[in-house]
Every structure is written in C-alpha cells, then in structure tokens.
Amino acid sequence: MTESGPIDVIKSADEPSAPPPVALAGVSKRFGATQALADVSLDLLPGEIHALVGENGAGKSTIVKVLAGIHQPDSGAVVLDGKAVLLHGPAHARSLGIAVVHQEPRLFPDLTVAENVFTGHAPKGRAGSINWREMRRAADEIFDSLSVRIDSGAIVRGLSMADQQLIEIAKALSVEARVLVLDEPTASLSAHEVERLFAIVRQTRDRGVAVLFVSHRLEEVFELCDRATVLRDGRHIVTAPTSQLTAPDLVRYMVGRSVSLFPRSAAKIGDVLLDVHGLTRVGAFRDISFSVRSGEIVGLAGLVGAGRTEVARVLFGLDRADAGEVTLHGRRVRFRSPSAALRAGIAYVPEDRHLDGLVAGFSIAENVTLPILPRLFPRLFTRSSREHSLAAGYVDRLRIRSTGTNELVDALSGGNQQKVVIAKWLATNPRVLILDEPTRGVDIGAKVEVHRIISELAASGLAIVLISSDLPEVLAMSDRIIVLHEGRVSAEIPRVEASEERVMFAATGQIAEDASSGE
C-alpha cells in the first residue's frame, strides 16, 4: 500500500453474529484545529486481545479516553451490546463494565492494596459500614485467581510499577469488567515483569473479557494479541488477525510507506576514542572493561539492574568510580562533574527524557542551547536570534516536527522530544555519545528516525555507546555488544556472531558460568 493508496480493512473469518460487548461506531473527535479521530469504527470481542497501534498523534490516546468516559465523541457513538450509550465519566464507564489501566497507574498511594482495589464499591457490613475483613478476603481471592502474591493489607506507596499495574487489573476484575483497556502497560516494566503481566492478561482474556492492548512494541503485539487495528492521523487504516500480518506490514500501515526499522549507514571504524579498564563502583558494578572506536556503535545489553546506566553515569561524571581508569583520546581522565565530561567531549542522552533530559516549560531553542550557554554567550548576554538560529539547524538536521524553535517542548510528541534531547547534547560537539534507552516510549516512526540519526552520527565519526533493553535494536545497530550480568561483563560479542539467544544467555549469566566451569 502506498501513502496515497486505498485504506484496507481486513476482517476476521470468525466474526460473530451477536453484537460485540463494546464497539466504536464512526467516532470523530476534534480538539481545536486538530482532528484527533475521524470516523473511526472498532469492535472489541469477548475472549480476545485486540492491539491498537499507531504513531504518536495517531489517535490511540483519544480512543482510550473516549472508552474511559473522559471524552465524548463529537459524532458517532460508543456502542454497548448493540446500543449507543453516552459515557458521562470514568465512574459511569466502569459501572457499565469498561475498565481502563492507564500507562501511569492511578492509585491512592497512602491506602492499602485492598482499599485501592475496592475504591467506590467496598463490601458493606450489616450497619452499612465497610466490611474491612471481607474487603481483604475478596482482594486476596482476586490475586489468588491470578496466581499473584501481593499483600492486600500493604500500603501502595513504595510498591513496584509492575505490582501497581496488577492492582489496576485487580480493580477491573473486582467490578467484573467486560472490557479491559491497557494503555502502554509495559512501558516501565522489566522483561520478567512483562512476562508475568502477559500471563495475567491471557488469564483475563480466557475469562471472556475483551482486552484492548495499546502498545508501541510490535513484538508484544505479535506475542500477545489476536487482532490488531492500526490508526494513522486519526483514521482507521486496517484491522486484521495478527496471524495475517508481519512487522513490516504494521510499520507500512502506521507510517504510510515502507521503511527500514534499523537503517545503518556505512561507517569507517577508526582509532579508539574511549577506553574503559577495570572500572568499579561498589554496589553497582565491578571490573568493567571495554573500548569504543570512532565510527563504532558499541551496544551495552543486559537485564534491568545489570549496571548499564550506572556505568554511563560514571563515564559522564554524575557518579564517581571507586577503582579503574577511563582513557579518552589516549589521555587518562577522571571527571568530577558532567561539565568536565562535556568539556572533554563526552555527552550523555539520559534514560528518562522528562526527568533528566528536558526542562518543561522551556522552548526547543532554550533546551537545545542550555548546555552550551557559556560558550555561546561568554559575556552572559544572550541573543535570541543566535540561539534560535543554532536550534533551527538541529531542527532541520534531526527532522524535528514543530511549529518553530519557539514551541515549548511540552507540546511535542514523545519522539520529537527525544530528538530535542539528542540535539541538546549534539550541540556540545561531542566525540563520544552515550545513548541510554534512546527509543523508549516513542512510536515506530520516531524510532526509525532516531535509528537514522544514530547511524548518521556514527558515520560522521562519533564513538557511540548504545544502552538498550530492545534486543532487536541492539543487535541491528551495534558493531559489538558488551553484555552485563549483575554488574560484570559476561560477554563481548561481535556483530556477526550476535543473536538474541546468545545475548540473553550472557545477560542471565549462563555464558559466564559455563566459561568458569570449563564447559
């Protein structure tokens, strides 16, 4: 299908004759000048996990909010059991059997797990007061049915993100939800936590619940979902069984053209720019050694908690090493601050762009030039024209979609925000660039763009350290892969010898154990 070609609709051969429990019928929604949804129809079937995918701005969040009762359609309707209804709010939606688990759990942190599960519908005693014992018992019963071990009397504050997601699912089951909407539920979870969540989502489906699963991660769509619907620019593009689709199909439908997920430009591998030997930070990692050459992308892989980010923080001067040495351009360095690392030619794109990468409320230009203000304006007298001119060059180079360099970063999509973070550190003219989860939480189109940028930067001679939990990304983009396990290097794998299986064996310590046992 070309970008201007016809819109395809593929229907399952098993479509039921009875109306689905929940459907959208010709729903449109506009916010000011933005047409968020345009005549979108979608049905959710009992006992099915239905994926909803698309780029940022495609309309996925608007659909979630329409189903949650947060937004009402301008035209069209939400249809329950064949009858159009007007949802007056989240409580009304829940009362009709529609439960939504948002990307960030919306729990009361100072209440217990059981109190959160039964908020608004707690079991009552004879005098009409809350039956606390029955509440605990009922919550425990739900978690037991999911094979989940959570103390229903525990305070929610301090629980892991994974446990909070499971509490949200328990809330849905406590009201006997017929439809469960999961909005990017795996964005903050480790691989093990994702596996546990998937098992519970499948159990929920097997109870006859219709599940809508919103995700940027295509591998999750094919692993978990029965059907998939693609949105683009607020319009329905295709609905099909996942068995009839491939990842390139989904990408083509999402962006309107065929693209390469992992574009690599030819890069000349040069001299060693960064050499790390025996680097140790007590309690975080120990005896880490690797090197990175100009034009080379070295991937740092490993499970959550393996020490990848901790190594990056030491290299950028955010934390101090207890032992070992770092050599940059053949000269031994020891940074006491990020400013010192920047002056030496190291830049770091952090894992959390909202917390560590951007200043909310600042414009694109203000964010891009922030690390280089002393160099750009040595007399501390800023000129907005110079600031905006420099930022505009990076907007063009990185293809940042915006209304101009005056636009606030808060108004940009996740992918364009990530490009601003990259631009901010490229403006420091680094020789070594550390990228920590550079495509986390961005849509597929933005992911392709970030991969293009990384490839071009390597081709220009930068030495790049790529930290990613996305194995296909690490395998496709890296020239070598350094695998960490529990704070130590468990394997160094050349690109031609790398596979998902080999990296995962090393990430779980099995290669290191085999080697130490002489096998």
Side-chain angles (χ1 to χ4, degrees), residues 414-434:
N416 285 298
Q417 288 179 349
Q418 188 69 7
K419 291 181 189 178
V420 172
V421 179
I422 294 173
K424 171 181 174 179
W425 297 114
L426 288 183
T428 67
N429 295 322
R431 297 295 309 281
V432 177
L433 179 63
I434 304 170

Side-chain angles (χ1 to χ4, degrees), residues 218-219 222 242 245-254 261 444:
L218 299 190
E219 66 274 13
F222 288 102
T242 52
L245 295 167
T246 63
D249 290 337
L250 279 185
V251 173
R252 186 174 70 254
Y253 288 128
M254 289 163 65
L261 262 180
I444 194 71

Side-chain angles (χ1 to χ4, degrees), residues 477-494:
M477 298 298 294
S478 304
D479 297 295
R480 283 184 295 124
I481 301 173
I482 309 297
V483 187
L484 302 189
H485 168 66
E486 295 183 352
R488 301 195 70 170
V489 174
S490 59
E492 179 173 335
I493 309 172

